[in-house]
Amino acid sequence: MNAAVNAFFLIFKLLSLYFLAVSLFCLCRRKKPAASAGQRRFAILIAARNEESCIAGLIESLQAQRYPRELFDIWVLPNNCTDHTVEAAQRAGARIMEMPSSVRSKGAALQYAADTLLRGQQHYDAFCVFDADNEADPAFLAEMNQALSRSAIVKSRILAKNRMQAGISACYEIYFCTANRFLNRAREALGLSARVIGTGFSIRRDLLEALGGFPCRTLAEDAELYAACLSHGVRIGYCESAVTYDEEPVTWRASLVQRRRWMSGIMQVSRLTLPKLFRNFLRRPSLNRLDGMLQLAFPFLQALTPFFTLAAFLAGSISLQSLPVSLLSAYAGSLAVAAAALVLEKRLDFRLTGGILLYPVFMACFLPLREACIARVPASPEENRMNQLYSIGNLSMLIQVHKSRDTGPVSRSACLRAAALSAVPRALASEAGLPCSAYDG
């Protein structure tokens, strides 16, 4: 037992030191991006469900872009809305892409939009993805246009839109600043992949076609896209001069629900993709793939830490007297990281003091959330039923692509994905309105 505990903590410390060493490269001077050869035509995709109250703000920020208006279209993808999201989006100047009733998730909405627009008459060179409660900096498209010249997919800098509204929203601001600076900026300096965190990213048409659209098997389509890029050997760039503002929860309960969904989705992606990534790494070793695998695997190590700590305590390796000192040291270290991130990102404001003091607690909450995800009991029949219905939606959409008899790369990939999803029971498929002939090829 002692050997296993010692081996676990040795691995944990080595990985922590690796991430610390990588984060120090955030201090490198930012490279000046090369001028773009031309101006791309963008399709801006906004998946929305009951976003009547906020979607106009995002559309207005996109209408105010310092980029030729004829070179971008704003597409709202309403997903089972029961309010007036469509009307609000149309009044603000967006175009509406009606979703079939089978589309029941953000990932499925993005996939349907990709399949439709890639085969449509209007040609788009790149696609941007936003959430309905976002706002975009006026220079977003101009900066992304340049950044896409050096990377086929680029993540923007993300900040909290309502950071002063509550202590918990201030914690999100700090969290994003640490990710911007120590995660993405550092990796951009090293030539490694940035993380696609949530929203506010752009992807070129050629890569989207190669991927067969947006991955949508899990709760975390952003992490799934990150893993897909790693698998294809594609580096994700980071553009800190393109800024996305995201609205954050203002209550602890809403935050915990949101972050539980994050953790569940990320760990689901890790379980699904790590074996394939490892095989690809053995065939074609690269530091980028290794870094990505370590990032995807690290949440599992963090989730196991309390159990190995308890084992070390029972074995006498850790004394109860050292616990207060360890907790105080962790709290002080988290405060230092929060302050450093805000200073380096030039977002320090003394009105955020409460959020800074709460930030160690905010981060500590990730620990039980990870444990809940790793120790999650098998899904209930109702949960399995819902997951199958999500798969039916994806399958129905992809079969429509197959029926178009398009021989392009998107359709071939879509058909393969449809075949993979065809294990959905016929009875549920029939209930969802999917022709059972789809199961017969």
Side-chain angles (χ1 to χ4, degrees):
M1 175 62 75
N2 281 341
V5 171
N6 291 336
F8 174 84
F9 282 110
L10 177 61
I11 294 171
F12 189 88
K13 289 175 182 176
L14 289 174
L15 285 180
S16 299
L17 286 172
Y18 166 75
F19 290 132
L20 175 62
V22 169
S23 69
L24 294 177
F25 284 85
C26 74
L27 301 173
C28 293
R29 182 173 296 180
R30 183 167 69 98
K31 298 176 183 178
K32 187 176 181 180
S36 176
Q39 291 181 314
R40 293 174 176 81
R41 181 173 174 79
F42 287 91
I44 300 172
L45 307 180
I46 308 168
R49 176 182 291 177
N50 295 337
E51 304 287 1
E52 176 187 2
S53 62
C54 62
I55 195 166
L58 169 60
I59 296 170
E60 289 167 4
S61 73
L62 293 170
Q63 299 276 24
Q65 290 293 298
R66 295 195 289 268
Y67 198 75
R69 184 61 187 86
E70 67 275 10
L71 291 182
F72 66 94
D73 291 324
I74 304 169
W75 289 96
V76 171
L77 321 175
N79 170 20
N80 294 281
C81 295
T82 57
D83 65 355
H84 300 289
T85 296
V86 171
E87 291 82 354
Q90 287 176 328
R91 284 195 302 270
R95 304 176 70 174
I96 305 299
M97 183 181 295
E98 296 293 342
M99 297 286 109
S101 60
S102 55
V103 171
R104 297 180 178 273
S105 67
K106 175 185 174 181
L110 291 173
Q111 178 61 40
Y112 181 86
D115 287 334
T116 301
L117 295 176
L118 287 172
R119 295 183 296 112
Q121 294 181 348
Q122 293 177 307
H123 181 87
Y124 294 105
D125 303 302
F127 298 78
C128 298
V129 175
F130 289 97
D131 287 341
D133 58 359
N134 294 162
E135 287 185 10
D137 182 82
F140 185 93
L141 289 179
E143 294 295 336
M144 279 295 182
N145 183 62
Q146 289 198 28
L148 286 170
S149 297
R150 62 181 187 274
S151 299
I153 176 171
V154 180
K155 177 69 181 80
S156 68
R157 182 185 180 209
I158 186 167
L159 299 170
K161 183 169 69 174
N162 56 332
R163 64 177 186 154
M164 299 297 183
Q165 190 173 353
I168 189 69
S169 59
C171 289
Y172 277 91
E173 167 80 353
I174 300 167
Y175 178 76
F176 288 144
C177 285
T178 60
N180 292 335
R181 178 63 52 161
F182 302 127
L183 182 68
N184 285 344
R185 193 179 196 273
R187 281 164 175 77
E188 178 70 12
L190 284 169
L192 301 175
S193 274
R195 282 291 292 270
V196 179
I197 300 172
T199 183
F201 63 90
S202 300
I203 181 169
R204 284 200 320 239
R205 181 190 186 95
D206 56 338
L207 176 56
L208 194 60
E209 288 177 334
L211 295 177
F214 294 100
C216 55
R217 292 181 298 166
T218 69
L219 294 172
E221 67 283 337
D222 53 350
E224 199 171 348
L225 180 59
Y226 172 71
C229 289
L230 289 175
S231 181
H232 283 72
V234 176
R235 190 186 77 85
I236 301 171
Y238 174 62
C239 181
E240 63 182 341
S241 52
V243 184
T244 303
Y245 297 94
D246 188 37
E247 187 170 348
E248 308 308 330
V250 295
T251 66
W252 281 92
R253 179 171 181 171
S255 172
L256 290 172
V257 170
Q258 181 194 60
R259 289 187 284 154
R260 165 68 188 271
R261 187 174 68 250
W262 287 358
M263 288 297 101
S264 179
I266 289 170
M267 297 178 88
Q268 184 185 13
V269 169
S270 299
R271 286 192 293 267
L272 288 171
T273 61
L274 274 174
K276 181 179 179 180
L277 287 172
F278 183 69
R279 291 193 297 270
N280 288 346
F281 176 76
L282 292 180
R283 288 196 296 266
R284 296 186 300 276
S286 74
L287 182 57
N288 191 46
R289 278 202 182 95
L290 178 60
D291 179 71
M293 288 192 300
L294 293 179
Q295 289 189 64
L296 290 172
F298 199 58
F300 289 94
L301 286 179
Q302 292 174 312
L304 292 172
T305 300
F307 302 106
F308 279 93
T309 302
L310 178 61
F313 172 74
L314 294 175
S317 302
I318 299 176
S319 65
L320 193 60
Q321 290 79 8
S322 64
L323 184 60
V325 175
S326 298
L327 291 176
L328 285 173
S329 299
Y331 184 84
S334 189
L335 286 180
V337 169
L342 289 172
V343 170
L344 291 171
E345 287 288 288
K346 299 180 181 178
R347 299 283 290 177
L348 184 63
D349 190 308
F350 288 107
R351 290 175 294 175
L352 295 174
T353 301
I356 295 173
L357 295 175
L358 282 173
Y359 185 67
V361 181
F362 176 87
M363 294 303 295
C365 288
F366 276 110
L367 199 56
L369 293 175
R370 291 188 182 102
E371 291 170 354
C373 294
I374 200 173
R376 188 178 182 183
V377 297
S380 67
E382 183 62 22
E383 286 175 304
N384 280 327
R385 178 184 176 84
M386 291 305 297
N387 289 335
Q388 288 168 336
L389 287 174
Y390 277 124
S391 295
I392 289 170
N394 296 337
L395 178 56
S396 175
M397 171 188 64
L398 294 169
I399 286 171
Q400 292 175 22
V401 177
H402 175 63
K403 287 180 177 178
S404 73
R405 302 188 181 278
D406 183 358
T407 58
V410 176
S411 290
R412 289 199 297 271
S413 176
C415 292
L416 289 173
R417 194 177 310 165
L421 289 172
S422 62
V424 175
R426 281 174 176 259
L428 280 176
S430 178
E431 180 182 334
L434 180 66
C436 287
S437 60
Y439 285 83
D440 301 324

